[in-house]
Amino acid sequence: GESVGLHLPTLSVQEGDNSIINCAYSNSASDYFIWYKQESGKGPQFIIDIRSNMDKRQGQRVTVLLNKTVKHLSLQIAATQPGDSAVYFCAERGSNYKLTFGKGTLLTVNP
Amino acid sequence: DAGITQSPRHKVTETGTPVTLRCHQTENHRYMYWYRQDPGHGLRLIHYSYGVKDTDKGEVSDGYSVSRSKTEDFLLTLESATSSQTSVYFCAISEQEQETQYFGPGTRLLVL
């Protein structure tokens, strides 16, 4: 999984499977988190966000889970499709009220 | 791309020349940001704006300046481009400060 600070990891899944992309954050005071999707040659696209007073939030085919105890964030994509192939990265808003972006995880969906 | 355009989309320039990148939004969002994206790094904030003529520095502001004379436009200027400024530059906008940011398509800049 990803950390705001590690080299770009990769995840390869079969079409139709569920994908789980992880993100570890370091600042226990971070209060807001965002997941982005970035396709090759394009700008980052907002997927879903979550505040620190929540543990889980669901969107269309995506779920974000926040575990503040271990400072871990995950993005679950249900029934992964080839169009989901992209780099996914998380962002956290720390105590300085600035967003810090992770380097991302490359998701490859095999047909 | 949430009503955000960037121009030019690609540029090749020589070391020492000035370069200006433009970000234009049609969302009327108050906050605008310039980031650079490089391999091995997450998006890094260069400068941001919290209103017309109100700007502040980000973590990698050296060698860059910005201007915002209208709500919809945010310009990034490299006064004298260096090879280390070869990067992909993204503009972003948000309604609230440091809340969800929506990104433009990016500008690929190559400084030779």
Side-chain angles (χ1 to χ4, degrees):
Chain A
E2 171 199 355
S3 172
V4 180
L6 288 179
H7 298 293
L8 189 68
T10 60
L11 175 65
S12 183
V13 300
Q14 291 298 122
E15 182 177 359
D17 287 351
N18 297 333
S19 302
I20 300 176
I21 300 168
N22 298 303
C23 178
Y25 63 95
S26 57
N27 190 342
S28 58
S30 292
D31 66 342
Y32 178 63
F33 305 86
I34 311 171
W35 277 103
Y36 285 94
K37 171 187 180 182
Q38 187 174 21
E39 296 175 88
S40 181
K42 296 187 177 180
Q45 177 186 356
F46 169 80
I47 302 173
I48 193 168
D49 58 2
I50 188 168
R51 299 188 187 279
S52 59
N53 61 353
M54 302 174 68
D55 298 322
K56 179 180 179 180
R57 190 162 188 225
Q58 289 184 290
Q60 188 176 13
R61 275 202 311 120
V62 295
T63 300
V64 56
L65 298 177
L66 176 61
N67 186 331
K68 294 179 286 294
T69 302
V70 295
K71 293 184 285 188
H72 184 268
L73 189 71
S74 68
L75 177 71
Q76 299 179 1
I77 305 173
T80 313
Q81 303 166 1
D84 294 326
S85 294
V87 173
Y88 292 80
F89 57 88
C90 63
E92 64 175 300
R93 186 173 69 189
S95 52
N96 61 357
Y97 214 68
K98 294 288 192 288
L99 286 179
T100 301
F101 294 85
K103 297 170 193 171
T105 295
L106 174 62
L107 175 66
T108 301
V109 182
N110 303 307
Chain B
D1 291 318
I4 309 168
T5 57
Q6 293 185 231
S7 59
R9 294 294 313 280
H10 302 270
K11 186 167 183 68
V12 181
T13 191
E14 293 185 348
T15 299
T17 60
V19 176
T20 295
L21 308 183
R22 180 181 184 240
C23 177
H24 179 79
Q25 61 145 329
T26 57
E27 305 297 321
N28 202 37
H29 284 0
R30 177 181 175 184
Y31 298 92
M32 298 186 75
Y33 311 82
W34 276 108
Y35 291 91
R36 60 178 290 173
Q37 187 176 48
D38 304 288
H41 294 274
L43 289 161
R44 291 183 292 174
L45 182 65
I46 304 171
H47 282 279
Y48 67 100
S49 170
Y50 45 97
V52 173
K53 295 194 168 116
D54 291 323
T55 64
D56 206 349
K57 294 179 179 180
E59 63 175 301
V60 291
S61 59
D62 287 349
Y64 302 94
S65 62
V66 290
S67 66
R68 191 168 178 200
S69 58
K70 298 185 290 185
T71 298
E72 56 267 35
D73 290 325
F74 192 31
L75 303 181
L76 176 71
T77 298
L78 290 65
E79 302 291 348
S80 177
T82 67
S83 58
S84 65
Q85 293 176 311
T86 291
S87 187
V88 181
Y89 291 86
F90 288 102
C91 173
I93 65 174
S94 66
E95 285 189 278
Q96 303 295 328
E97 185 178 11
Q98 300 298 333
E99 293 268 322
T100 302
Q101 296 181 14
Y102 298 94
F103 287 83
T107 294
R108 289 188 174 274
L109 176 67
L110 174 61
V111 183
L112 300 175

